[in-house]
Amino acid sequence: MSKLADNLNTILQRIKELSELNQTSVRLIAISKTKPVEDIIELYHAGQRYFGENYVDELEKKSNDNLILTQCSDIRWHFVGHLQSNKINRILTRVPNLDCIQTIDSIELADRLNNNLQKQSKILNILIQINTSNEQQKSGIEQKDFLSLYEHIKLNCTQLICQGLMTIGSLDNVNTEDESDFQVLIQCRKELCDKYNFSINDIELSMGMSNDYERAIQVGSTIVRVGSLIFGVRH
Ligand SMILES: *Cc1c(COP(=O)(O)O)cnc(C)c1O
């Protein structure tokens, strides 16, 4: 087995063990930013379907690569970076197999996406990104404002399917046991479910990366975004 497929299977096995313990189903998004399409194709052939990128240019290029188009027809792309409004049309019209934008953090962004999708008669999965660490420079909507964003999307954005919540978390938490970002996202889901009478299982939580995906699953993550542990370190 190739090194990448080996890495993938090790992580899938861990995900399986951990998710069985708390009876959740967990999706792995392989974050392929900066990595070549050959790596993506190798993992696709090993069974991985979900891949994530954080720059629109790179996502556009990779998703239109000839080998990807011909060999990976069932690939599902997630966008996990900050989405600038001048890139909205590009991501919505030039990325085949775009499955989800995980980083919706303002009413304005939601409206712009919705208008564009409406013109194309398309719908799109999204997550609301929450700034759980209150760091000024970080993207994501503040915790106190996320319910009104959800309400706005629910009432006005007919083309957007909000599947749940996402956080990147504080970079200070890397290699520490600090779970406060996870706990903030869990608390937000509780508020959302209380307000709309949703079951907890109806709302996805995208949290956990290479260094903390196991802890994230233990506390209830349903989508983990793992890059370097699969592909190797980025340069
Ligand atoms: C890069 C990135 C990841 C993956 O990070 P690793 O530490 O390499 O697993 C996850 N989520 C987002 C939003 C990223 O930009």
Side-chain angles (χ1 to χ4, degrees), residues 55-57 59-60 63-64 77-79 83-104 108-126 157 159-161:
Y55 287 109
V56 174
D57 296 18
L59 174 57
E60 181 187 351
S63 64
N64 287 289
W77 294 105
H78 278 221
F79 185 73
L83 183 56
Q84 294 164 294
S85 39
N86 62 351
K87 298 281 169 75
I88 287 177
N89 193 52
R90 293 253 307 279
I91 197 169
L92 293 182
T93 59
R94 296 200 216 158
V95 177
N97 293 323
L98 179 67
D99 181 62
C100 181
I101 297 179
Q102 294 203 4
T103 48
I104 306 308
E108 189 194 350
L109 179 57
D111 283 344
R112 284 175 190 252
L113 284 168
N114 191 64
N115 290 341
N116 190 303
L117 289 161
Q118 208 146 32
K119 289 188 195 119
Q120 307 182 63
S121 302
K122 282 207 270 193
I123 57 170
L124 182 70
N125 298 320
I126 60 140
C157 299
Q159 317 306 112
L160 302 181
I161 302 169

Side-chain angles (χ1 to χ4, degrees), residues 31 33 54 80 166 168 209-211 225-228 234:
I31 304 294
K33 62 190 185 198
N54 69 338
V80 298
M166 177 269 205
I168 294 182
M209 319 202 305
S210 288
N211 58 72
R225 311 178 309 264
V226 179
S228 40
R234 289 177 296 272

Side-chain angles (χ1 to χ4, degrees), residues 48-222:
Q48 179 64 21
R49 289 295 175 268
Y50 291 95
F51 292 85
E53 291 285 337
N54 69 338
Y55 287 109
V56 174
D57 296 18
E58 192 176 346
L59 174 57
E60 181 187 351
K61 194 151 174 274
K62 286 177 176 170
S63 64
N64 287 289
D65 182 279
N66 235 337
L67 290 174
I68 296 276
L69 288 174
T70 51
Q71 296 191 34
C72 311
S73 56
D74 194 31
I75 196 167
R76 295 283 173 264
W77 294 105
H78 278 221
F79 185 73
V80 298
H82 177 65
L83 183 56
Q84 294 164 294
S85 39
N86 62 351
K87 298 281 169 75
I88 287 177
N89 193 52
R90 293 253 307 279
I91 197 169
L92 293 182
T93 59
R94 296 200 216 158
V95 177
N97 293 323
L98 179 67
D99 181 62
C100 181
I101 297 179
Q102 294 203 4
T103 48
I104 306 308
D105 62 358
S106 71
I107 288 178
E108 189 194 350
L109 179 57
D111 283 344
R112 284 175 190 252
L113 284 168
N114 191 64
N115 290 341
N116 190 303
L117 289 161
Q118 208 146 32
K119 289 188 195 119
Q120 307 182 63
S121 302
K122 282 207 270 193
I123 57 170
L124 182 70
N125 298 320
I126 60 140
L127 301 176
I128 291 177
Q129 182 186 359
I130 299 178
N131 181 343
T132 52
S133 54
N134 280 316
E135 288 167 31
Q136 280 308 321
Q137 75 282 11
K138 200 76 81 36
S139 45
I141 193 164
E142 281 186 47
Q143 184 181 2
K144 66 176 172 51
D145 297 324
F146 97 92
L147 274 178
S148 40
L149 174 57
Y150 184 88
E151 177 87 0
H152 176 87
I153 292 170
K154 191 171 149 65
L155 294 179
N156 305 291
C157 299
T158 52
Q159 317 306 112
L160 302 181
I161 302 169
C162 184
Q163 299 183 312
L165 310 175
M166 177 269 205
T167 183
I168 294 182
S170 166
L171 295 176
D172 300 341
N173 288 356
V174 172
N175 300 325
T176 73
E177 298 288 302
D178 185 350
E179 277 185 5
S180 52
D181 289 294
F182 296 163
Q183 293 306 331
V184 171
L185 206 65
I186 290 165
Q187 176 59 31
C188 289
R189 177 175 63 176
K190 184 177 183 308
E191 288 170 26
L192 187 65
C193 290
D194 286 349
K195 178 165 178 190
Y196 295 99
N197 243 324
F198 295 147
S199 151
I200 292 283
N201 300 323
D202 295 337
I203 306 298
E204 303 244 29
L205 291 185
S206 173
M207 57 188 198
M209 319 202 305
S210 288
N211 58 72
D212 56 9
Y213 78 96
E214 291 168 300
R215 268 187 296 132
I217 295 170
Q218 282 166 341
V219 296
S221 174
T222 66

